[in-house]
Each structure stands twice: as structure tokens, then as C-alpha cells.
Amino acid sequence: MSTHTLAAPGMRGLQDRLWAAVTDRDEHAAASVVLTALDDGVDAESVLLDVIAPVQARVGTEWAANRLSVAQEHAASAIAERVIAALAHHPAVRTAPRLGRVTVACVDQEWHVLPARLLAEVLTLRGWQVDFLGAQVPTPHLVGHLHSNGADVVALSSSIPTRLPTAHAAITACQAVGVPVLAGGAAFGPDGRHARRLGADAWEPDARSAARRIADGIAVPAAGRQQIDDLPHLGDQEYTLVVRSRPQLVREVLAQLETRFPASAAYTEEQREHTAQDIAHVVDYLGVALYMDDDELFTGFLAWTAGILEARRVPAASLRPVLDVLGAELKDFPRTTRMLGRARTVLDDFPATAGRTGGAFG
């Protein structure tokens, strides 16, 4: 079957129809949009990257703006995965492997699997033998797979920056057995700076460029590099001590929150549980910022969180006491103190929202 790429208006029409289907939670209608496009001769890679991927990005944007619930976002993502599976088995897209072998995996604890799945399908379409290991692959299992099956390259995906320490371990472990690593996903930064800092052999911002980079070839890494070689600042132990103190830090913030942010006194038990989870996220991002020695990882997260809170009519000012308590508890940690100070400056850019008591952080 001959294939073609639709012009932009045609792609937008497919996106709109797929959007309507996934937000209606109509899996059959969503599959029909995709399979009909294939039957009409639209090439599979364009359907994956110019129809399905933008719709999923829109799902995330609408959730952040509080126009989709968590349940709606999860349902849409589940439909997208099943639609991709249907596309992969369509007779028009079957491609016999003729190139090398690529292992595609998400780092341990990374459950955002769609970017990795899209890359795996694109590589398959282009003729690679792909071992797609899916979400949350523990590093020992990944290395065991490489020992048993081999690979020309590992494509390692992570969307959440708090997984960067785990990604670092996976990158180093793959390279230790002689397999180069191409990193991808939002966790590594829009310009790939975190991938470079962690010693990845390559980074690309999207599936098309990643497939081209793999086709060009990625050199086998030199042996003997250790994680501390990439991040010598870890010698000060701030990262380790803050991460180990996470449970105590969360408890201390919760204990002082009602005094420092009186609106929290009216929280329900469910709101208190959500607040505890969100405080834990703040500590997690502080930890990864210390790991990378990158203030923007923390301040960027705080700015994003403040925007999410405002969209949900929760005052961004509710974050200030969290930073104040953490600052008092961690006052002897110079890098931590610097990051918390810069985060307070970021929050100053958000207007006061006195009188709003929307509830827990998330």
C-alpha cells in the first residue's frame, strides 16, 4: 500500500477527531480514526508522531489547566496505548527487521511509558529489531537483558526529573557492559543538558531525531567511568542526607503548616493526605536538584507547581511555609540553602491570593 503524509490541515482534522474520541473515552472511535487514516494511505510514522503524540500532549496540558481530571487523563492515556497497539498490528505497517538491535526501556520507577513506546514503534517501522521493555525497568534487569540478548544501543526514557539519579545508574551500568545509551524524555531537559551531565552517549529531543541518531551510529563507550566522576559535588553528602531525611522533613512541615498557613486548619483528612504527598514531592525535587547541582530543577518545579495550584484555586502562597520550614531544618546545608532562597524568589512572582482556601496542594 502506498503511503503519504497529510498536509497540516489534514493532520489537525485527525487530531481533532482523535481528541474527541479519547475525551469521550471511546476506544473504538479512537481506533477507527487511526486505522482509517492508515487505510487511506497516511504513513504510520506520521500517525504516531503527528496525530497520537500531539493529542497526548494536549491531554497533559488540559490536565494541568484543571480542565481534565486525573481519571480522564489516565483514561485517555490508556486508550492511546491500545490504539498504538492496534496500529502496530495493522497489515499496512508490518516491517521486517533488517537493521541492528535496539533495547528501549524506561528507567526504574518511571511509569510514563508513551514516549518510549512511540520511539519503539518508529524504530520498528524503520527496520530495527526492537526489544521494548516498557515502564519501570530495574537497572539489574536491564543489564541482565543486555547480557542475554545484546544490543547496538539502549534508548533510555525518563519523563520525571526525580528519576535522574536512577537514570544515572542505568546509563553507567549499560556502558559498563559495552552498550551505548541514547537518553530521551522530558526529565533530561529540553536541551538535553541533564543527559550530558550524566554521561549519556547521545540525547535527542524526539522520536524522529532519535531514530536518525541511532541510524548514524553511536560509539561504544569507554569503560571504567564511575558515577562520582560525572558529579563530583556529591562528595559533600547534601543529596544523601536530604534524601535520607525525607520522612522527617515531611512530618516537620506538616506539624508546622497549620501555624504558618492557617487555612490548612480547615483541610479534610483527604486534603491532608494530598498535602503530605505534595510536600514529599517538594522534598524529592529538592533532592534531585542537589544531585544534579542545578537550581533550575527545583525552581522550575516550584513555578510549575504554583501554576497548577492557581489553576485549582489553591493559593501558591501555601508553598511558602513549606520552603520556610525546610530552610530552618536544613540551615547547615549551603547548596540547599541557596536553592531554597532562589525558590522563594520564584514564588514572589505569583500574586497573593488571600481569602482563597481551595484545599490541599493537589
Side-chain angles (χ1 to χ4, degrees):
M1 177 184 293
S2 62
T3 62
H4 64 276
T5 301
L6 286 181
M11 285 298 181
R12 283 196 294 271
L14 290 175
Q15 291 171 14
D16 290 343
R17 292 197 291 277
L18 184 59
W19 171 258
V22 298
T23 52
D24 285 342
R25 299 178 299 284
D26 190 336
E27 179 182 327
H28 294 289
S32 178
V33 172
V34 167
L35 299 180
T36 298
L38 295 175
D39 290 338
D40 290 343
V42 181
D43 71 275
E45 188 171 305
S46 294
V47 174
L48 287 166
L49 302 183
D50 301 325
V51 180
I52 297 173
V55 167
Q56 278 305 108
R58 183 178 174 186
V59 168
T61 299
E62 293 297 292
W63 170 82
N66 203 30
R67 291 189 287 266
L68 287 181
S69 68
V70 172
Q72 288 172 312
E73 184 271 333
H74 284 186
S77 298
I79 289 172
E81 289 188 29
R82 289 175 62 84
V83 167
I84 292 170
L87 178 150
H89 292 284
H90 192 281
V93 305
R94 291 175 185 165
T95 305
R98 62 185 185 279
L99 302 174
R101 193 178 199 113
V102 180
T103 292
V104 179
C106 295
V107 302
D108 196 9
Q109 301 180 9
E110 176 59 71
W111 49 268
H112 289 85
V113 74
L114 189 68
R117 180 64 187 275
L118 289 170
L119 175 60
E121 296 302 333
V122 168
L123 291 171
T124 299
L125 289 170
R126 294 191 180 200
W128 291 90
Q129 176 71 49
V130 177
D131 296 323
F132 177 58
L133 305 187
Q136 303 189 83
V137 182
T139 296
H141 295 182
L142 175 58
V143 173
H145 171 82
L146 297 176
H147 277 302
S148 299
N149 300 280
D152 296 295
V153 63
V154 169
L156 196 65
S157 178
S158 184
S159 296
I160 306 297
T162 51
R163 309 301 180 234
L164 286 172
T166 304
H168 195 192
I171 290 167
T172 305
C174 291
Q175 292 170 335
V177 297
V179 181
V181 177
L182 181 146
F188 295 102
D191 57 358
R193 66 184 183 275
H194 302 317
R196 291 187 289 274
R197 190 77 184 274
L198 299 181
D201 301 287
W203 167 85
E204 293 294 342
D206 55 58
R208 282 193 177 99
S209 60
R212 288 194 296 267
R213 183 70 178 84
I214 291 170
D216 290 341
I218 301 174
V220 176
R225 199 182 89 258
Q226 302 294 318
Q227 288 175 252
I228 193 67
D229 297 333
D230 301 320
L231 305 173
H233 58 266
L234 293 178
D236 67 12
Q237 296 295 302
E238 285 199 36
Y239 163 74
T240 301
L241 293 170
V242 168
V243 170
R244 287 179 179 173
S245 302
R246 179 181 185 266
Q248 301 96 297
L249 290 170
V250 173
R251 285 196 297 269
E252 189 61 33
V253 173
L254 282 172
Q256 297 191 37
L257 187 62
E258 190 170 315
T259 299
R260 293 173 178 265
F261 186 66
S264 66
Y267 284 1
T268 65
E269 187 60 33
E270 182 180 11
Q271 287 172 326
R272 291 180 188 277
E273 290 177 4
H274 289 170
T275 299
Q277 293 170 3
D278 291 329
I279 293 168
H281 288 320
V282 172
V283 177
D284 288 341
Y285 270 85
L286 177 60
V288 75
L290 289 167
Y291 188 88
M292 301 297 295
D293 198 32
D294 188 323
D295 293 14
E296 198 278 330
L297 269 172
F298 188 55
T299 59
F301 168 74
L302 262 294
W304 177 83
T305 301
I308 295 291
L309 294 180
E310 292 291 331
R312 284 155 176 72
R313 299 192 62 76
V314 179
S318 60
L319 290 167
R320 289 189 176 91
V322 177
L323 300 181
D324 291 341
V325 176
L326 291 176
E329 293 296 309
L330 300 170
K331 62 182 182 299
D332 296 327
F333 293 59
R335 288 197 296 127
T336 304
T337 299
R338 180 192 75 212
M339 290 179 185
L340 291 169
R342 291 181 180 173
R344 291 188 191 94
T345 300
V346 168
L347 289 184
D348 288 341
D349 293 337
F350 284 84
T353 50
R356 287 203 266 160
T357 57
F361 290 173

